[in-house]
Amino acid sequence: MTPQHPRIRRIPLNAAAVVTVVVCLFPVYWMISTAFKPSRDIRSPEPRLVPYTWTLDHFRRAVQADGFELFWRNSVLVTLGAVLLALVVALGSAFAVARMRWKGRRQFMLLVFIAQMAPWESLIIPVYIISRDTDMLDRLPTLTLVYFMITLPFTIVVLRGFIATVPPELEEAAQVDGCTRTGAFRRVALPLLAPGLMATSLFGFITAWNEFAYANFLIIKQQDNRTLPVWLSSFQNTFGTDWGATMAASTLFALPALVIFLLLQRHVTSGFAAGAVKG
């Protein structure tokens, strides 16, 4: 038997990859196409993959809906605040775990892994009770702290791995030249951690930006403090759901995460540190 050509052997894998991509992207395509369809086509018993006619009316209703700008600002403030807090705290924790030897280091990382594996939805009731008893309900800082708590374990784990790939000899050489330990880390190691910082920032942003459960349970009375995921539910009322406006609002809601991903994705690699060492 003659051996199969490598390209022929890859056909089933390529076909499976194409099917997977189509299945994953089809809901996104359907959301976007529905946002541009006229209402009569959305309610039509014969669904159309490609709109025959296009309209921007749904986007106008979404942008002109009550609270759009306010909830957009709330989401940006809460998300950026949580991501920045997680980066600052995780950077110090990851450096201590990766560079220092202290009693309880392995136990600390074990607790971090356990926290990462725990389903955060199971903590909604305890967090709600604590927020209620401390008079922290209906406040954006509470939501920021919750999102910071959710993204922190993952950020510590990822940054620890990136710091471990940076040879400590680089920092030791900087210290020989007169830098302090902090200065050596800031001048030598920190620039090499750019891929890790971007990867964790992207994960934290998407996690906090899309979160709905805590935003819905912790912001009850002060409607002006709600975020965009909760705002999306405002297009559903007793008369039904405005699917056109809902899909248009969902498309607008997904744009920031998509733009940030496209800006950062080419930088999110782990090869920078290895290249610096080889060079």
Side-chain angles (χ1 to χ4, degrees):
M1 295 180 62
T2 58
Q4 290 184 339
H5 194 276
R7 292 186 178 180
I8 297 178
R9 290 200 302 265
R10 287 199 297 266
I11 289 178
L13 294 177
N14 294 337
V18 170
V19 171
T20 302
V21 171
V22 171
V23 170
C24 293
L25 292 184
F26 181 77
V28 179
Y29 167 77
W30 190 256
M31 175 187 72
I32 297 174
S33 65
T34 303
F36 287 99
K37 291 179 182 178
S39 298
R40 64 178 182 276
D41 291 345
I42 297 175
R43 296 190 296 266
S44 174
E46 300 179 358
R48 299 171 178 173
L49 291 179
V50 180
Y52 285 178
T53 57
W54 300 73
T55 180
L56 294 176
D57 291 341
H58 304 310
F59 287 94
R60 294 191 187 96
R61 289 207 304 277
V63 173
Q64 295 172 359
D66 294 337
F68 174 75
E69 296 180 359
L70 181 61
F71 297 153
W72 187 281
R73 184 204 66 182
N74 293 343
S75 290
V76 170
L77 291 177
V78 169
T79 301
L80 293 183
V83 170
L84 291 176
L85 279 175
L87 286 179
V88 172
V89 176
L91 190 60
S93 302
F95 177 80
V97 172
R99 285 286 190 264
M100 301 178 182
R101 298 294 179 265
W102 41 278
K103 187 177 181 180
R105 181 169 61 94
R106 292 184 178 180
Q107 290 79 1
F108 172 78
M109 284 305 301
L110 178 61
L111 291 176
V112 172
F113 279 112
I114 293 175
Q116 173 63 25
M117 293 185 295
W120 291 105
E121 291 79 7
S122 62
L123 298 178
I124 287 181
I125 295 178
V127 170
Y128 174 83
I129 294 175
I130 294 173
S131 302
R132 182 197 61 189
D133 294 343
T134 57
D135 195 24
M136 290 293 291
L137 285 177
D138 299 310
R139 298 186 181 183
L140 288 179
T142 304
L143 209 54
T144 303
L145 291 176
V146 170
Y147 294 165
F148 158 72
M149 176 182 65
I150 293 175
T151 57
L152 182 60
F154 175 84
T155 308
I156 293 176
V157 172
V158 174
L159 289 183
R160 173 187 173 275
F162 275 90
I163 293 176
T165 62
V166 179
E169 291 80 8
L170 295 177
E171 299 173 53
E172 293 171 359
Q175 293 180 36
V176 171
D177 291 338
C179 285
T180 62
R181 186 166 191 174
T182 303
F185 177 78
R186 180 172 59 85
R187 296 173 182 271
V188 178
L190 189 58
L192 299 177
L193 297 179
L197 294 174
M198 292 180 181
T200 52
S201 298
L202 181 61
F203 168 82
F205 182 90
I206 294 176
T207 300
W209 185 260
N210 293 333
E211 204 285 322
F212 171 82
Y214 282 97
N216 191 42
F217 278 95
L218 297 181
I219 308 296
I220 301 175
K221 297 179 181 179
Q222 297 296 331
Q223 302 294 323
D224 291 345
N225 287 337
R226 292 197 166 185
T227 55
L228 283 176
V230 181
W231 169 76
L232 290 177
S233 63
S234 65
F235 295 100
Q236 183 177 7
N237 52 46
T238 56
F239 300 101
T241 301
D242 187 346
W243 290 112
T246 300
M247 295 302 175
S250 300
T251 302
L252 294 174
F253 173 73
L255 281 179
L258 176 62
V259 170
I260 291 179
F261 172 78
L262 294 177
L263 292 176
L264 298 184
Q265 58 89 19
R266 71 184 185 90
H267 297 289
V268 181
T269 83
S270 58
F272 285 8
V277 176
K278 293 178 181 179

